[in-house]
Structures are given as C-alpha cells and as structure tokens.
Amino acid sequence: MAAVTIEKFAVGAVFTLVSASSIDWLVHRYVYQKPAEVHMKLSGKFFSPDYFTARDRFREIAVSAGGGLETIPLDAKGPNAEALGIDIAWFGAANPRRVLLHSSGLHGVEGFAGSAIQFQLLNDVPTLPEDAALIVVHVLNPYGMAWLRRFNENNVDLNRNFLADRIYAGAPPTYGALNSFLNPQSPPASDLFILKAGWLILTEGMPALKQAVVGGQYEYPKGLFFGGKHFEQGPEKYKTFLTDRLSSAERIIAIDVHTGLGKHGEDTLLVEEGDYDVLRSMFGERVAPSEPDRSVAYRIRGALDTMIPQAVPKAQVFSVTQEFGTYSATRVLHALREENRWHHYGAGTLDHPTKRILKETFYPQDETWQESVLNRGKELLKQGLSKL
Ligand SMILES: [Zn+2]
C-alpha cells in the first residue's frame, strides 16, 4: 500500500513536472521566443561579426539570388594575409539604361551596416524594369573593415581621395593648429581628451571645428581624415569599373552607406551642395543641407559622390550618402584618435581595446539600432528603385 502510494505520488509528481515544463516550454516558445525570432530575422540574420564572414555570405547569396558576381582584386591584405577585394553583385540588364548603385564600407569599419542592408536586399531581390540594373558593391575599403579601421592600407580616408583636380595638398589652418591634439605621436593613453575637446567646442564652436577637423587634410599622412597623396588603388579601380561597365547608363541613383554621424539609429541623407533641391524632392526631408551650421553635414573635398559623374559623364547621377548616427561626435572622434595611435605607435593588432571600441562606435551591438539600419536601408532602396 505504502509502495503503491509512493508510486502514485511519484507518477503524479513526474506528470506534474512534465506538464509544468510543457507549459513552460509552450509559454517560452510562443510568448518569449517570438520576439527573439523576429530579432534574429532582422538583425542577427543579416549583420556579420567580421569582414570575412560578411564577404563569404555576400558572395554566396549574390550567386544563389541569380546575380552576376565579380571582384576587383586589391593588393592590400587582411590580418592573416588574406586576399582582399571589392565584391560586386549585378542583377538585371547587362547594358542598362537605368542603374541603382548601392555601395558599402568606403570607411572600412563603418561597413557592417551597409553590408547587412545589402545582405537583406539580396535575400529578396526586387523585380527590375527591363532596361535597369541593380549593382551592389560590397565594401569599398575591405582593408579597413578587416582591420577595424576607418582608413585604408595607406591611412587614407577614401571619401577624401576622389579629387578631380588631383591636387593632393593642403590642410585647414585649424587642423594644423590642432594636429598634436588630434594625432599624438604615442600609443593610446588617457590624456583628458574629453575635457580638451569640450573646451575646443566651447571656444571654436562645433560647426567650425567639425569642418576644420573632419573636412579632410592632405598634409599629415599619419593623421585622421588624411585624403592621401595620390589616387588610391581601390578608388581608381572602382572608377574604371564604372566607366567600363556603365557606358549605356543614362540615369544612375547611387546610395553609399556610412555610420557614425547623427542621432543614434537615425539616418541622414547627405548630398552634394548643388543637388540639395532635386534630391530633397526625390527623397524627402531626411536630405540634409550641406552647411555645417544647418545640419550634421560638413563639406569635404574628394568625396565619392563627385567621382560618379566623372566616371559616367553621359549619365544623370543622383547620389546620396546614407549616414546612420551612432554615438556623440566627441566619442566618435576619441575612438578614432585612440585606434589611430594604436595603429601607428602601438602593435596595431586586432586584440586591443581600441579596436573593440572603434567597432562598437561604428557598429553598435544594439538590436534596436541594427533593426533601424535594416528598416531604413530597405526603405531608401525602395525609394531609389521607384525613382529610377
Ligand atoms: Zn563614413
């Protein structure tokens, strides 16, 4: 009797445990895991942990989605001497009249966002008009993304390198005056940066300071925002690619994705000064005026935007830079400064905190931010396609 009771009790207990765990499992599966799955779909599925993972995924999906895949090989190498190149997926007409051109990673470490938008796009390639092509350019500065740098193998900020006049000289006087503060010739160290930066913002004013510091310079080769001393290999080969392959194009809409500037998770569409009115009528109020005191924008020489009309002179070109905000300008500048010190005056290896911080600065590990990037990235592509 006692044994039966114990047995009954044991069976009951096991049953209760099973039911409880089943209910728990069901609740977990259908209540808690649902949102997690949505997150997986939006961010986890498309964002990559490093350049080489992103590259493999891009190349694979480009082919399985039915696109043509080609690579512009580069001499620069990855951290383990890997070969690097600019991968390009091509959908639609071989000799298109209309082109939607989407590029990422011109600023290396900023490439995670653009790469994820592209990966999402290739998972569901839109139907194109017969005379149109969709060209997806994956990571224009693979060295920077692989090494977690904004700059390329020659410390060049590629969005300052496309100079039509080829005059690679000059620096704003304020940049020269601030050179020792921006680019200390020593390994990373704490040195009251935030305090000094705050003082400068107060005395110089943010718009003027931003213009002088990040507008680009051609005199300090180890400094931040160095535009180079000649046309760099990646930009030159990319320009040649566009000239060779887009001779039939009459209308090009170009979107280049960046991160860092602006409010966390929000995007601004930066455009060349003269294109503001027409692009605002096409893409709406996110298009920012290029004056530094009216928006997050600043004027630069040698931007990618200015190269496309030179490469394809017969085409009408509409270029926007889609910039996703991450953290404050001071925090971004500090992260760039410390990583730059590590690169030039330390070992430059990937395992250093300055690399981790720089990556987080341009690629926040924050699902809300990542979802916003994917949603807005998709929205702009849709808008671009409808305006072709
Ligand atoms: Zn950028």
Side-chain angles (χ1 to χ4, degrees):
M1 184 72 186
V4 171
T5 309
I6 288 169
E7 199 175 275
K8 265 189 181 167
F9 175 77
V11 169
V14 167
F15 182 75
T16 310
L17 273 174
V18 168
S19 323
S21 67
S22 305
I23 290 164
D24 189 51
W25 181 85
L26 282 168
V27 167
H28 201 78
R29 172 72 179 78
Y30 290 101
V31 179
Y32 297 114
Q33 277 190 358
K34 272 287 175 196
E37 276 176 9
V38 172
H39 284 308
M40 275 306 288
K41 245 185 194 159
L42 282 172
S43 51
K45 191 173 162 192
F46 299 126
F47 277 86
S48 300
D50 57 70
Y51 168 71
F52 294 103
T53 307
R55 182 179 199 189
D56 288 349
R57 294 166 90 186
F58 178 83
R59 293 172 62 92
E60 210 181 294
I61 189 101
V63 174
S64 64
L69 175 69
E70 46 199 302
T71 297
I72 298 175
L74 299 174
D75 294 338
K77 296 279 181 276
N80 295 307
E82 300 95 335
L84 296 172
I86 302 167
D87 297 309
I88 301 173
W90 187 299
F91 298 86
N95 296 300
R97 200 172 66 78
R98 298 180 278 173
V99 174
L100 182 60
L101 180 65
H102 191 273
S103 55
S104 66
L106 183 64
H107 279 150
V109 67
E110 296 178 19
F112 291 92
S115 170
I117 291 170
Q118 294 176 336
F119 197 47
Q120 174 181 246
L121 170 69
L122 298 197
N123 259 271
D124 187 13
V125 178
T127 312
L128 298 164
E130 219 168 72
D131 60 351
L134 167 67
I135 303 169
V136 187
V137 183
H138 189 252
V139 189
L140 284 163
N141 172 11
Y143 174 92
M145 189 164 162
W147 283 91
L148 301 177
R149 301 213 76 210
R150 176 184 159 108
F151 314 115
N152 83 340
E153 59 276 16
N154 296 321
N155 195 50
V156 174
D157 182 326
L158 296 185
N159 211 28
R160 313 285 183 272
N161 189 246
F162 295 92
L163 293 178
D165 58 14
R166 301 290 170 103
I167 300 172
Y168 289 91
T174 311
Y175 188 101
L178 294 176
N179 180 46
S180 61
F181 165 67
L182 293 169
N183 309 305
Q185 294 180 22
S186 56
S190 131
D191 55 4
L192 303 177
F193 171 86
I194 300 291
L195 218 63
K196 289 177 194 165
W199 175 249
L200 282 169
I201 292 167
L202 219 63
T203 50
E204 305 274 338
M206 192 58 165
L209 198 63
K210 187 168 62 181
Q211 182 60 50
V213 172
V214 302
Q217 55 85 11
Y218 300 86
E219 297 301 333
Y220 304 91
K222 289 186 176 179
L224 300 171
F225 315 108
F226 172 58
K229 279 291 180 193
H230 55 79
F231 203 19
E232 289 292 312
Q233 186 188 44
E236 184 155 29
K237 283 189 163 187
Y238 181 50
K239 184 180 177 188
T240 304
F241 171 85
L242 295 180
T243 301
D244 290 351
R245 302 293 299 278
L246 295 183
S247 57
S248 59
E250 291 170 17
R251 187 175 169 88
I252 299 171
I253 292 181
I255 299 169
D256 190 41
V257 180
H258 290 247
T259 65
L261 204 67
K263 282 190 189 149
H264 194 83
E266 285 184 20
D267 65 323
T268 309
L269 304 178
L270 306 172
V271 302
E272 284 295 307
E273 216 176 340
D275 299 340
Y276 173 71
D277 290 330
V278 61
L279 287 169
R280 197 166 166 101
S281 70
M282 284 169 82
F283 292 104
E285 60 182 22
R286 277 193 171 85
V287 174
S290 59
E291 295 87 351
D293 47 354
R294 284 183 63 203
S295 79
V296 297
Y298 47 88
R299 292 192 193 92
I300 49 179
R301 278 180 74 212
L304 170 68
D305 285 7
T306 59
M307 176 276 277
I308 304 171
Q310 296 159 31
V312 195
K314 279 196 307 189
Q316 240 191 328
V317 181
F318 305 92
S319 280
V320 293
T321 299
Q322 187 174 31
E323 176 92 41
F324 287 94
T326 56
Y327 298 102
S328 75
T330 317
R331 185 163 162 184
V332 170
L333 184 61
H334 189 215
L336 284 167
R337 177 193 194 246
E338 297 311 298
E339 187 278 335
N340 200 45
R341 293 171 84 179
W342 178 242
H343 178 79
H344 293 293
Y345 306 104
T349 47
L350 287 178
D351 55 3
H352 196 262
T354 53
K355 293 286 188 185
R356 182 178 46 74
I357 293 167
L358 194 75
K359 188 178 176 188
E360 168 66 27
T361 302
F362 289 103
Y363 171 27
Q365 295 307 299
D366 164 353
E367 280 178 4
T368 314
W369 185 86
Q370 295 180 6
E371 278 180 24
S372 168
V373 165
L374 290 170
N375 289 331
R376 275 295 301 155
K378 191 182 208 169
E379 209 176 304
L380 185 63
L381 274 160
K382 203 172 149 191
Q383 245 181 326
L385 202 61
S386 74
K387 305 284 179 192
L388 260 190

